[in-house]
Each structure stands twice: as C-alpha cells, then as structure tokens.
Amino acid sequence: MNYSIIRYILCKILEFAALFMALPFLVGIIYQEEAAISFLIVMAGCLAVSLVGRRFKPTSKVFYAKEGFVTVSLSWILLSLVGALPFYLSGEFPTYVDALYETVSGLTTTGATVLTDVECLSRSIQFWRCFTHWIGGMGVLVLILAVLPLSGSYNMHLMRAESPGPSVGKLVPRVKNTAMILYGIYIVITVMEVIALLFAGMGLYEAMTLTFSTVGTGGFGLLNSSIGSYSTSIQTIFTVFMLACGINFQVYYLLLIRKPKEAFCSEELRYYLGIIFLAAVMIAINVRGFFESGFQAFHHSLFQVVSVMTTTGFATLDYNVWPEFSKAVLFLLTLLGACAGSTGGGFKVSRLIILWRCVKNEISVAIHPRSIKKIHMEGHTVEEGTLRSVQVYTAIYTLIFLVSFLLLSLNEFDFVTNITAIAANFNNVGPGLNMVGPAGNYVQFSVFSKLVLMFDMLAGRLELLPILVLFSPKTWKR
C-alpha cells in the first residue's frame, strides 16, 4: 500500500474543499450573513492541515487498483466530514450527525434531508447545500485528475473507482483529457440550464442553486414545496435537464465529435428513454382523476418519473396520495436508476440489460446444453470480466439492501417507510414513501439509522466495492 500517495491526494482534497467553500463564503459576504464566518474558519483549517501534510512529499506517485479504491473512498469520507462543518458551526443544524447526513446526502447526490423547514436556512448555507450536489455529480477525483494528473496510466484506477457503471473507459487516450472533456460537458450543461431558467423569469441565485441540484441529479430545493411552487414552464426546464443528465455523457462526446449515428444507436439510451416514456404514460392514466386535464396528468407523471429514475428527487406534488399502482412504479424506478456514465445513481440501465441477457442466455443453455452463446451489448461482446462484475455487484447490492433494511427496522417504523428509505438512500434518490415521502424527511430516524443510511448513500454512489475494500484486512497490508 502506497500510503504516501494517498496522503498526498487527501491533502489535495482539503485544498479543493477550501476552494469549493469560497463560493458560499462569497454568497455570505454579499448577503451579509454570519454563516460566512463558518466557511472562513473551515477554509482556513483545511488549508492549514493541507500545508502541513504536503511538507511530506510522496515517496512514489505510482498506485494500483487497491490504492485507487482506498483513495476514492477516503476522499469522499473526508470531504463529507469537512463539508458538514459549516452546517454545524453556523448553528443551523442542531447536531453534527444531522449536518453530516445532509452533507453525505448532498455529495452523493441523494437529496434526502433531515430538515423540516429548508426555507429558514441562510442563503450561504442553502448555496453550499445545493453546491454539494454539483461537486459530487461528476466526481471529486475526476476534477482532480483534470487539473492535477498523476503518474500516467495509473490515473485510470481512480477514475474506475469513482465513475458509475459496470465498465469505465477513456474517451481519449489520456486520462487527464478524458476528465477535462467530462467536466467541460458538465459545465456547459450547467450554464445552459442557468440561462434557460433566467429566461423563464427566475433570479440568478435561484437559477444557480437549483441548477446545481438538477445537473448533479441531487434534488435539494430552496422551498419546502420542492419544485411545486414554480410555473409549468420552469418545471418543464427541470424535466429536460434531469433527463439530459441521466444520459451517459459519452453520448454528448460522440455528438461533440460529430458521430450522431453512434450516439443515438446506444442500446442503453433507447431503453432509458423507453422506460421513462412507458412509466410516465402508465402513471398518467392511473392518476388521471387527480387532475383537471390529461396534459396536467402527463406533465406531473413525466416529471416524477424522470426525477425518480435519474435519482434527482425533485417533486412537483406529494405523490404519496397517488394510487398504489403509481407508487409501485415509482418504487421500481427508484431501484433502477439512470444510465452508466451519467450523474445519476442507482443500479443503472446497462446492468439491467446485461442481467436480462444473462438470464435469457442461461435459459437457452438449459434447453440446448451444447450451445455456446455470447452476450452482446452496443454491438460488442460483453467481456467475461464485465459479466462477473455485474453479477457480483448484484449479489452485494442485494445483501447490503437486506441487511440495511433489517437494521433500519429497529426504528419500529412501518414496512413501506423502512424499505423505501433504504431504496431511496442506497440508490441516491432521496424521497421514498410514507414518512420519507416528498413531503416528509429523515429527522425522526435514530443516530444509528442515519449512520446506516449514510453508509448506504456512499456505497451506492461509489458502486459498492470502493467502500467495502476499506473493511478488508488485506487492503492495509504493505
């Protein structure tokens, strides 16, 4: 284990944390808020610790998969611990555990909250709360790789450990350039949504903060009603950009290099859009009696479907009052998630496709034992390593889900609340049903339950293995 390079990168994380907090600090200065002092204190502390840590230069900048997993996991944990300090020091969160839960929820783009009244927060705290979505959406280490590349091809271990999906590849030969392209696309989409919201009549502060929540597919809002108080046109803008950020960013890269045929021929993209449209139509028909027109029914149904499937978690209304069929569809979408290589969380559409084809293949082999069939996706044969990783991921996913559900049941809350809370946190969606529905929150959960949910959020965002590697004794052997 190359501890020196891990320490070096963690010091860089502290420097970036200080840089990130400069924006909410500036917001606090502009609006003359006392909370700005909290950001200043944490920024100074981060820079001081980083300065001391960087005096010890890494003996080697070479690292392998083990170091990559450990570095990514510790980076997210460290950023969460530090990012919670302004929330707690400002006095706007009663306990550090609550502040930490909100920060983990923000960075993992989950959007679950312990707040009963988000409108009472200061503007700088609101800004930081939403900005954590944007920071975590594309990935912290991806940004570091774009700015500070390490030793050659070894960078890929970091990108693979942090990027969502069953397999991760480079868009271009150099990892640094791949990271720069991804963040370039991310920034362009962010600017586009801000401009669209400004043209729709929204103020700059609101447009920026809600864009962070949308593009990062997080879901923190500025109002207790989430997005319900905004006009239909603004809600439509959110729907479009949530949908766009749930798509694999490689599609945008292919469009950028003028390969539209390859971009739109993506199987995952077709299934992703098909599932969204089918679910929205089914729910719209089921909830038609709740609205004055079919247009309103489809508008709200499409918004909720896109919000849940992209794991954003915005809401235009309380869908807890919808029929059981509609809630069942939304729950299944909570488990599914967005595309690989997007800012969305969840199981991922690509994994579902691969698993379905594995099942079909096994049925075919059972009927014709001597037949040999390969599983294909996107016009290519799926490698055995990818098949194995998907199957292992599914097994671990199921095990963690069941254990977490059992532990959460100690709260003595109802079955639907517990199981949807796990699904919503583990898949980085945020709201569930009943007590944790779009009109509810997680404030009533015990400290132990919040720690379980925080673990689930981090494990879900980091695709399970990076977090689990920390618990293996073999990881820490030199």
Side-chain angles (χ1 to χ4, degrees):
M1 176 72 74
N2 188 349
Y3 289 103
S4 62
I5 189 62
I6 294 174
R7 183 186 66 244
Y8 173 79
I9 295 176
L10 291 180
C11 287
K12 286 295 179 184
I13 289 292
L14 290 175
E15 291 176 15
F16 272 85
L19 178 64
F20 293 145
M21 290 183 193
L23 283 176
F25 170 71
L26 182 60
V27 171
I29 294 297
I30 293 173
Y31 289 100
Q32 300 179 345
E33 296 174 338
E34 291 184 4
I37 300 174
S38 303
F39 290 103
L40 185 61
I41 293 172
V42 179
M43 288 165 60
C46 288
L47 292 175
V49 173
S50 175
L51 185 63
V52 172
R54 288 188 60 191
R55 292 182 63 183
F56 303 95
K57 299 294 182 182
T59 54
S60 171
K61 291 189 177 182
V62 173
F63 56 93
Y64 299 97
K66 181 169 65 173
E67 285 86 355
F69 283 133
V70 170
T71 301
V72 166
S73 297
L74 293 182
S75 294
W76 280 75
I77 292 171
L78 178 62
L79 190 57
S80 297
L81 293 170
V82 170
L85 290 174
F87 287 149
Y88 180 62
L89 295 177
S90 67
E92 298 186 35
F93 283 77
T95 67
Y96 180 73
V97 172
D98 282 348
L100 182 60
Y101 181 89
E102 202 79 7
T103 308
V104 173
S105 178
L107 289 172
T108 58
T109 71
T110 302
T113 184
V114 294
L115 295 171
T116 56
D117 183 10
V118 299
E119 296 177 25
C120 69
L121 297 177
S122 60
R123 286 180 176 263
S124 56
I125 292 295
Q126 281 276 33
F127 188 94
W128 175 239
R129 184 169 173 263
C130 294
F131 190 45
T132 55
H133 282 330
W134 195 88
I135 295 169
M138 184 55 64
V140 183
L141 273 299
V142 173
L143 177 59
I144 288 183
L145 291 176
V147 181
L148 297 167
L150 299 171
S151 299
S153 61
Y154 298 109
N155 303 1
M156 201 62 197
H157 294 305
L158 287 176
M159 184 167 283
R160 285 199 179 100
E162 188 176 49
S163 299
S167 62
V168 179
K170 295 181 285 186
L171 300 179
V172 290
R174 294 187 63 193
V175 174
K176 175 186 178 181
N177 292 342
T178 296
M180 290 177 66
I181 290 169
L182 289 173
Y183 254 95
I185 295 170
Y186 193 47
I187 291 170
V188 168
I189 294 175
T190 302
V191 172
M192 287 173 63
E193 184 178 354
V194 171
I195 293 172
L197 291 174
L198 290 175
F199 272 106
M202 190 176 282
L204 180 61
Y205 174 83
E206 274 188 302
M208 287 184 66
T209 48
L210 292 177
T211 293
F212 294 150
S213 292
T214 309
V215 177
T217 60
F220 280 154
L222 303 178
L223 304 175
N224 294 327
S225 60
S226 187
I227 306 300
S229 301
Y230 296 103
S231 66
T232 301
S233 60
I234 289 178
Q235 290 174 358
T236 302
I237 291 172
F238 287 130
T239 303
V240 170
F241 280 93
M242 285 190 296
L243 186 71
C245 291
I247 295 173
N248 192 327
F249 273 50
Q250 186 174 357
V251 171
Y252 300 124
Y253 174 70
L254 291 172
L255 292 175
L256 189 66
I257 61 174
R258 299 179 182 179
K259 291 184 177 180
K261 186 176 180 180
E262 292 183 29
F264 294 118
C265 284
S266 168
E267 288 185 75
E268 185 182 35
L269 177 60
R270 294 201 303 271
Y271 276 95
Y272 168 74
L273 296 176
I275 292 170
I276 286 176
F277 179 75
L278 179 61
V281 169
M282 289 193 299
I283 291 178
I285 294 172
N286 189 235
V287 301
R288 177 65 180 85
F290 287 74
F291 300 95
E292 296 179 358
S293 66
F295 170 78
Q296 286 187 344
F298 183 75
H299 166 76
H300 289 286
S301 299
L302 180 62
F303 185 97
Q304 300 310 148
V305 165
V306 172
S307 178
V308 170
M309 186 156 175
T310 60
T311 71
T312 305
F314 279 146
T316 56
L317 40 71
D318 184 6
Y319 49 78
N320 252 331
V321 301
W322 281 1
E324 294 302 316
F325 175 78
S326 295
K327 291 190 287 187
V329 172
L330 290 175
F331 175 70
L332 292 177
L333 294 178
T334 298
L335 299 176
L336 180 54
C339 297
S342 69
T343 60
F347 191 79
K348 302 295 182 300
V349 175
S350 57
R351 283 198 182 94
L352 183 66
I353 296 171
I354 292 173
L355 277 178
W356 172 244
R357 289 179 180 172
C358 283
V359 171
K360 288 176 63 179
N361 194 37
E362 286 301 311
I363 294 173
S364 178
V365 170
I367 297 172
H368 304 286
R370 295 185 179 181
S371 64
I372 299 175
K373 290 189 175 182
K374 296 289 186 179
I375 294 174
H376 295 83
M377 186 173 174
E378 308 291 2
H380 302 286
T381 301
V382 180
E383 297 177 359
E384 287 297 323
T386 302
L387 292 176
R388 186 179 65 254
S389 73
V390 169
Q391 293 162 357
V392 170
Y393 180 94
T394 304
I396 298 173
Y397 177 96
T398 304
L399 180 61
I400 293 178
F401 192 103
L402 294 175
V403 171
S404 298
F405 172 67
L406 184 64
L407 294 175
L408 214 64
S409 297
L410 294 171
N411 282 296
E412 297 295 334
F413 297 147
D414 65 277
F415 178 86
V416 173
T417 294
N418 287 332
I419 199 165
T420 59
I422 292 297
N425 282 260
F426 197 17
N427 293 283
N428 306 131
V429 175
L433 295 171
N434 286 7
M435 289 174 57
V436 294
N441 53 66
Y442 291 80
V443 69
Q444 297 182 59
F445 284 78
S446 65
V447 171
F448 175 74
S449 295
K450 288 172 184 173
L451 292 173
V452 170
L453 294 174
M454 280 188 269
F455 172 84
D456 288 346
M457 286 189 281
L458 285 168
R461 173 57 182 85
L462 297 180
E463 304 279 290
L464 308 184
L465 285 181
I467 286 292
L468 295 181
V469 162
L470 295 180
F471 297 94
S472 173
K474 294 182 180 179
T475 300
W476 307 101
K477 292 181 179 179
R478 290 186 177 272

